[in-house]
Amino acid sequence: EQIHFSISCLLAREAHAALQTGGDPQAMLFLLNAVATRLNIQYDTETSHGLNRQKQTEWEHAIQARLAAGPLGRIGVNTLRAE
């Protein structure tokens, strides 16, 4: 469940940054919901809901690296994908 929470934190940070530069709140909410759903499904599928230890570790490292790196500048599924 920690990865799901971390994905939400990343997306919230991106939304905040976009809204600070004049982004449309309704469009941002729509986009965030779509990206969050996509990333969470992708994570659950790739890790077999956390049972695939190797993939789980890859996602943990990728998400932690993104959290440490700061805002991405744009929301995108590929930028959050495990390496």
Side-chain angles (χ1 to χ4, degrees):
E1 295 302 317
Q2 181 62 45
I3 297 297
H4 290 291
F5 178 76
S6 295
I7 288 169
S8 296
C9 289
L10 282 171
L11 295 176
R13 181 173 67 191
E14 293 306 310
H16 177 74
L19 292 172
Q20 292 295 327
T21 60
D24 175 30
Q26 285 188 314
M28 182 57 57
L29 182 58
F30 180 78
L31 180 60
L32 282 176
N33 283 331
V35 173
T37 298
R38 171 74 172 98
L39 284 174
N40 283 298
I41 289 171
Q42 181 180 344
Y43 162 73
D44 283 335
T45 300
E46 289 183 9
T47 66
S48 298
H49 296 274
L51 297 176
N52 181 328
R53 193 67 215 147
Q54 179 182 347
K55 287 293 186 181
Q56 176 73 21
T57 300
E58 290 173 11
W59 271 87
E60 288 171 0
H61 288 258
I63 295 296
Q64 289 306 317
R66 295 300 182 194
L67 283 169
L72 298 171
R74 70 182 254 287
I75 297 174
V77 173
N78 291 334
T79 59
L80 297 177
R81 185 171 171 78
E83 306 285 329

